[in-house]
Amino acid sequence: KGAPLHMENHGRVDLVCAPECIQYLSLMERELADRQIGADNSIQCLLTLLLVTMIRELNNLESKAVSKRCTPAFQQREETIDNYFASRYGQEISAQDLAVHLGITTRQLARIMQQRYGCTFRTHLLDIRLYHARQLLTNSEATILQIANACGFSCQGAFATVFRKEVGCTPSQYRQQHKR
């Protein structure tokens, strides 16, 4: 009692549940069991208090995480990741390559990617490749094959398939619709 209750969330996040949360849950349980007049209103108020407390706790955790990400070392690592993708998106690269470049494990890299970009290494790489492909389709006279090669796709067919799936049209259609 009085100390925060730590809860493990699938081994990924250590959430802290404030003591008042436990107290609100106990009071709700009592209200549900007794079912006296006004129990519904009481439970609704307790749920509101529980929700506000949980939001504040999560906000505190997020603030701590943001302050950790503001350290110079963390910012330098993020810049290194951004530069790595920007300079190598057209090459065959892997998460392992980037992890070795950063001197971290692929697991650490996966966590950083999720925090920084909200996706996996492969998804982010694909997003960058497709972004550059759209730019080239719009602003250059390069052939579809040249663009596929420049953006790191193994062949024109793979490029066209992925492009259509992600963008909703073929590279040729995209070029016709967005040509300047």
Side-chain angles (χ1 to χ4, degrees):
K1 261 201 157 151
L5 174 66
H6 293 273
M7 303 175 83
E8 194 67 29
N9 184 8
H10 303 291
R12 291 182 300 216
V13 178
D14 188 26
L15 293 178
V16 177
C17 184
E20 38 295 2
C21 291
I22 305 300
Q23 193 176 22
Y24 298 145
L25 290 169
S26 296
L27 290 169
M28 279 189 269
E29 185 178 46
R30 215 174 301 142
E31 287 289 341
L32 284 168
D34 295 346
R35 276 298 192 190
Q36 293 182 7
I37 294 175
D40 290 342
N41 289 339
S42 178
I43 291 170
Q44 187 175 11
C45 290
L46 289 166
L47 279 170
T48 302
L49 286 169
L50 178 65
L51 183 60
V52 167
T53 303
M54 290 172 70
I55 289 170
R56 287 179 179 163
E57 288 295 320
L58 288 172
N59 191 38
N60 288 339
L61 288 174
E62 189 174 295
S63 295
K64 289 177 187 173
V66 167
S67 67
K68 181 181 176 186
R69 289 194 301 259
C70 291
T71 64
F74 199 91
Q75 289 174 343
Q76 184 179 358
R77 183 181 288 165
E78 287 184 346
E79 283 179 29
T80 302
I81 292 171
D82 290 340
N83 291 337
Y84 190 87
F85 278 111
S87 65
R88 292 181 174 89
Y89 70 88
Q91 303 168 13
E92 190 173 315
I93 59 173
S94 69
Q96 178 69 35
D97 296 335
L98 179 53
V100 168
H101 181 74
L102 293 170
I104 61 175
T105 67
T106 53
R107 179 120 170 96
Q108 288 172 307
L109 177 62
R111 280 195 295 271
I112 292 168
M113 293 298 299
Q114 199 61 48
Q115 288 172 347
R116 171 86 165 127
Y117 303 104
C119 61
T120 66
F121 172 90
R122 289 177 58 99
T123 301
H124 187 64
L125 178 59
L126 180 62
D127 289 346
I128 289 171
R129 286 177 170 173
L130 291 174
Y131 169 80
H132 286 283
R134 287 192 304 272
Q135 295 300 310
L136 288 170
L137 287 166
T138 303
N139 301 316
S140 80
E141 296 299 320
T143 67
I144 305 296
L145 177 60
Q146 290 169 331
I147 293 171
N149 290 334
C151 294
F153 291 92
S154 58
C155 67
Q156 185 174 338
F159 170 61
T161 300
V162 170
F163 194 92
R164 183 179 183 108
K165 179 181 175 207
E166 297 297 323
V167 179
C169 62
T170 67
S172 298
Q173 291 168 335
Y174 186 89
R175 175 173 265 169
Q176 288 172 348
Q177 294 168 3
H178 296 89
K179 194 68 175 169
R180 289 182 184 179

